[in-house]
Amino acid sequence: QVQLVESGGGAVQAGGSLRLSCAASGRTFSSNVMGWFRQAPGKEREFVAAIRRSGTTYYADSVRGRFTISSSGNTMYLQMNSLNAEDTALYYCAADSGGRVVAVSDSSRYDSWGQGTQVTVSS
């Protein structure tokens, strides 16, 4: 199992930026893909972005061009620019264990989840 701790959330005005971090510990060597998901009140959890160990990245259409996912060592980042009110949500990081043949955008791929960090964008 991988332990994940998010940080970096907060309140920002529309058009602003935030950078989220996700620190991983434990069996990190078993993870092939790490990702960010978000859940707004009353909505389903949705995919935001993911990164493979190889460095390949994936983005939801709604954030492509505004958000950038990256990693360094055992920490994953999500740089969020040009934020708007629709980006308001609880953001979670997730890690897989490398065993499932499931799309990176599918939450069922991931075995480990962080506790979430709140992002609030005011218009």
Side-chain angles (χ1 to χ4, degrees), residues 28-69:
T28 57
F29 57 86
S30 66
S31 176
N32 286 335
V33 179
M34 293 185 69
W36 289 97
F37 287 76
R38 66 186 182 186
Q39 188 166 20
K43 294 189 176 181
E44 300 279 324
R45 186 173 298 189
E46 65 174 0
F47 170 74
V48 176
I51 185 166
R52 288 190 178 273
R53 186 180 291 273
S54 64
T56 301
T57 58
Y58 307 82
Y59 295 95
D61 288 343
S62 59
V63 307
R64 186 176 290 111
R66 300 187 298 122
F67 291 11
T68 303
I69 190 171

Side-chain angles (χ1 to χ4, degrees), residues 14 16 25 29 34 46 55 63 72-73 85 96 106 114 123:
S25 60
F29 57 86
M34 293 185 69
E46 65 174 0
V63 307
S72 178
D96 74 353
D106 189 332
S123 55

Side-chain angles (χ1 to χ4, degrees):
Q1 195 80 354
V2 177
Q3 291 77 48
L4 302 171
V5 179
E6 304 99 333
S7 61
V12 64
Q13 290 192 329
S17 299
L18 283 173
R19 187 172 86 151
L20 306 184
S21 299
C22 173
S25 60
R27 297 174 60 88
T28 57
F29 57 86
S30 66
S31 176
N32 286 335
V33 179
M34 293 185 69
W36 289 97
F37 287 76
R38 66 186 182 186
Q39 188 166 20
K43 294 189 176 181
E44 300 279 324
R45 186 173 298 189
E46 65 174 0
F47 170 74
V48 176
I51 185 166
R52 288 190 178 273
R53 186 180 291 273
S54 64
T56 301
T57 58
Y58 307 82
Y59 295 95
D61 288 343
S62 59
V63 307
R64 186 176 290 111
R66 300 187 298 122
F67 291 11
T68 303
I69 190 171
S70 63
S71 65
S72 178
N74 288 335
T75 302
M76 178 177 65
Y77 303 96
L78 186 68
Q79 177 66 42
M80 306 186 295
N81 298 329
S82 302
L83 286 162
N84 57 60
E86 288 69 41
D87 296 316
T88 294
L90 189 61
Y91 283 70
Y92 298 90
C93 67
D96 74 353
S97 60
R100 299 195 182 109
V101 182
V102 177
V104 299
S105 59
D106 189 332
S107 61
S108 69
R109 178 189 183 97
Y110 301 90
D111 306 283
S112 302
W113 293 84
Q115 81 288 350
T117 186
Q118 178 67 39
V119 171
T120 303
V121 184
S122 58
S123 55

